[in-house]
Amino acid sequence: MTGSPGSPGTHRHTAVPTMRHLMGEERWQRLIDTAHPRTHSAGATLLRQHEPGTHVLALRSGVAKVLLREQGGGLTLLAFRGPGELLGEVAVLDGGGRSAGVLAITPCAVSVIDRAAFLRLADEEELSPLLIRYALGRLRESDTARGGGDVTPRLAAALVQLAEMDGEQPAGGAGPRDLALTRNELAQYLGVSRNTVTTALAELGPARVRTGRGRVHIGDLQALRTAAAPAWTGGQRGV
């Protein structure tokens, strides 16, 4: 992999650019400079569903999951977000409540930008076209993740993407990794059943992938990349 974590040059198995990539380094840094830093441990809540859009988060390192709480109380995983992404900008832009919550699945470092500062910067830097492109890219990424095909390489590709998103990688990027994820959430993300994910996880044994207590452990990231290869070469971009 090349480039610093979350930078435009960072290799990620997805065709969808981050907001940092769309803005460019100078404007992204200007955004960060208007904010104050905050850190979160894995499993912590970054944003709560239904709360007012009082601020935006710029994710500098780590990986988060976007969760929708249904009327019946169940949770549905909508997406993953990594370094260079914005969180909570929709509620700030439209003045409504947050449509979903965001939780950290690895330790995360964010910059908190209050609503007035973000709107002022968006106006000064003419960010509206980029924000629209960013939103459309997110929709495309979600559609691709649920696009069908052999589940085992798709699951491997999703786990590789999450591991590569994280800005705090072990030396060489191939060491053990832990993600705060459940089998149900992986099933929701891929658009398959929990039993199907359980079977696929068993088939990823050579990569030493294990689950338990709301965690997914990746023992051999390089072996997982090998298992994911059919998803990428088969044209399934960006699970």
Side-chain angles (χ1 to χ4, degrees):
M1 287 179 284
T2 60
S4 61
S7 69
T10 299
H11 178 59
R12 288 171 56 185
H13 294 287
T14 173
V16 180
T18 65
M19 193 62 192
R20 179 177 179 176
H21 181 101
L22 292 173
M23 291 177 67
E25 288 303 305
E26 184 176 341
R27 287 193 288 185
W28 178 259
Q29 189 58 50
R30 193 170 299 134
L31 179 73
I32 298 300
D33 289 344
T34 67
H36 64 272
R38 194 166 72 191
T39 58
H40 296 272
S41 59
T45 297
L46 277 61
L47 296 172
R48 296 184 186 278
Q49 187 173 336
H50 302 311
E51 286 188 343
T54 57
H55 60 280
V56 171
L57 300 181
L59 186 53
R60 301 196 319 275
S61 68
V63 186
K65 56 188 177 184
V66 182
L67 295 171
L68 173 68
R69 184 172 294 279
E70 309 284 357
Q71 289 187 348
L75 289 173
T76 299
L77 189 147
L78 301 179
F80 298 111
R81 297 288 173 254
E85 306 276 9
L86 288 182
L87 305 170
E89 79 284 358
V90 173
V92 164
L93 291 169
D94 69 12
R98 303 202 188 279
S99 59
V102 182
L103 276 70
I105 67 172
T106 71
C108 288
V110 302
S111 289
V112 184
I113 309 104
D114 68 54
R115 183 176 186 272
F118 179 76
L119 292 176
R120 182 169 59 252
L121 183 69
D123 182 58
E124 293 172 352
E125 300 294 336
E126 300 180 342
L127 297 182
S128 292
L130 298 183
L131 289 166
I132 292 172
R133 182 180 172 190
Y134 182 56
L136 292 174
R138 285 175 161 185
L139 290 174
R140 183 167 62 252
E141 184 177 41
S142 179
D143 290 343
T144 301
R146 298 161 179 81
D150 191 346
V151 172
T152 300
R154 286 174 56 212
L155 174 60
L159 293 174
V160 168
Q161 180 191 3
L162 294 175
E164 290 182 347
M165 276 183 178
D166 188 359
E168 301 296 329
Q169 298 189 26
R177 314 303 300 280
D178 285 292
L179 304 170
L181 283 171
T182 68
R183 298 186 190 195
N184 282 339
E185 289 170 341
L186 288 170
Q188 291 165 3
Y189 183 65
L190 297 173
V192 298
S193 70
R194 185 180 186 278
N195 287 341
T196 299
V197 165
T198 297
T199 300
L201 285 168
E203 293 175 355
L204 294 177
R208 304 202 309 275
V209 176
R210 302 289 184 270
T211 60
R213 296 189 178 183
R215 293 290 189 273
V216 174
H217 175 78
I218 301 171
D220 188 338
L221 186 54
Q222 190 53 50
L224 194 62
R225 291 190 182 105
T226 300
W232 298 322
T233 58
Q236 295 180 27
R237 302 178 307 162
V239 238

